[in-house]
Amino acid sequence: MKSRWMRLIGLGLAAAAAFAACDLSEEESTYKYFVFAANAGAGKLSVFSMSASSGSLKEVEGSPYTVGGEPQSVAVDPAGQFVYVANYFSDSISAYEIDPLTGELTAVPGQPFTAGFGPYAITVEPSGKFAYVANADGGDVWPYLIDPDTGALAPYGSLAAAAGAHPSSVTADPTGKFLYVANAYSGNVSAFSINSASGALAAVPGSPFATGGYVRSVAVDPGGKFAYAANDTTRNVSAFAIDAVTGALTVVPGSPFLAGQNARSVAVDPTGAFAYVGNWGSSDVSAYTINSTTGALTAVTGSPFEGAYAPNAVAVDPSGKYVLVANYWSDDVSVFVINAASGALSELSASPYLTVEEGHPSAIAVVRIAQ
């Protein structure tokens, strides 16, 4: 197996070349793509390999894998070596090592790891040193130190930071300096600065920042300039400019921007050109272009796009070619091709792909691993 640092180097080079013109067969041989879908209803993690050239999915050997009760979130470390699942009912975190060739999983020693009360979301910050878990019922965020060799998590419960009511989403900015948490019941986003040595969190000035109703998801663009929050009950997206020094959020002119019914999840593509929102109630995906100067959103022609059924989570693959959607009620994953010029979506003819019968997929993540 490649060393963690060699894989980090490989992934860094891959990111630098992500949007250069390349032969698709070369892309297939240079990188492996894997998709992870957490099934809340079944307590299972489905794993698929994804074709770089077509976006088609194929379930890997051994999938689905047993995790804890009602998994609500899945995250992969930046090196593509470990995958983590937040288990809401079990108050635990499942952890697996990813085989870089096949995508098959091996349980990390010591897992599952203790979480707070009702872990609902998990993320790994860009250095891969720390993981953060938002505990919905505890109203706080726990930092974890990641063992770079085994992937084991050491909980820093003593460093827990208070968030709002029912924190449901957590993400770090691309610099690893700031952490943002969507608090569903509070209707706001908590913002923290990250201590690079200890992983401890400190509230940034002005935090928390008001959003729309029942905010369910928060995402940061790859340039670290803007943050977007999907608001379920107000059917819109709040947009913020990020202060690069303090991490504080300022409302973007024109925000909030109209989305579909019960906007549940938001993701930004790797170029920072487009944003996508999964609308649970209207069973579609809203697509937007992002103004690179202001962060304002403009609906893509043809948006919203059909082909999802109660989408609970949306992700964009690292190449920026595909949008993947976890469909809660149809127990499957939809794959859409992104029009690189307009941001418009077209669903693959073979989509959607079954996860687990009555699995109710609730979260999705995609990783690209250099070979």
Side-chain angles (χ1 to χ4, degrees), residues 193-271:
S193 59
I194 298 173
N195 184 305
S196 60
S198 68
L201 302 175
V204 308
S207 179
F209 300 91
T211 61
Y214 201 61
V215 56
R216 289 291 300 266
S217 175
V218 60
V220 176
D221 82 302
K225 295 171 60 179
F226 309 113
Y228 298 95
N231 304 307
D232 187 299
T233 56
T234 50
R235 307 182 184 184
N236 54 25
V237 183
S238 297
F240 302 92
I242 299 174
D243 187 301
V245 176
T246 67
L249 303 181
T250 302
V251 175
V252 164
S255 177
F257 300 93
L258 183 66
Q261 185 175 348
N262 304 115
R264 284 283 176 95
S265 178
V266 59
V268 180
D269 87 305
T271 70

Side-chain angles (χ1 to χ4, degrees), residues 123-250:
T123 193
V124 180
E125 50 80 33
S127 76
K129 185 178 179 180
F130 302 108
Y132 293 91
V133 175
N135 299 298
D137 296 337
D140 56 15
V141 182
W142 280 23
Y144 293 77
L145 179 66
I146 300 175
D147 186 304
D149 296 316
T150 69
L153 300 180
Y156 285 4
S158 60
L159 297 180
H166 200 83
S168 300
S169 175
V170 59
T171 191
D173 85 310
T175 69
K177 293 168 57 180
F178 307 115
L179 193 79
Y180 297 95
V181 179
N183 303 302
Y185 295 172
S186 302
N188 55 29
V189 170
S190 296
F192 303 92
S193 59
I194 298 173
N195 184 305
S196 60
S198 68
L201 302 175
V204 308
S207 179
F209 300 91
T211 61
Y214 201 61
V215 56
R216 289 291 300 266
S217 175
V218 60
V220 176
D221 82 302
K225 295 171 60 179
F226 309 113
Y228 298 95
N231 304 307
D232 187 299
T233 56
T234 50
R235 307 182 184 184
N236 54 25
V237 183
S238 297
F240 302 92
I242 299 174
D243 187 301
V245 176
T246 67
L249 303 181
T250 302

Side-chain angles (χ1 to χ4, degrees), residues 53-87:
S53 58
S54 70
S56 62
L57 304 185
K58 181 180 180 181
E59 196 162 16
V60 308
E61 188 73 24
S63 176
Y65 295 84
T66 300
V67 289
E70 197 176 310
Q72 287 290 342
S73 180
V74 58
V76 181
D77 78 312
Q81 191 169 3
F82 307 110
V83 60
Y84 300 97
V85 181
N87 304 307

Side-chain angles (χ1 to χ4, degrees), residues 317-343:
D317 88 289
S319 75
K321 295 191 291 186
Y322 308 107
V323 168
L324 297 99
V325 181
N327 300 308
Y328 189 88
W329 286 123
S330 52
D331 304 325
D332 52 29
V333 172
S334 296
V335 181
F336 298 86
V337 178
I338 300 174
N339 183 303
S342 68

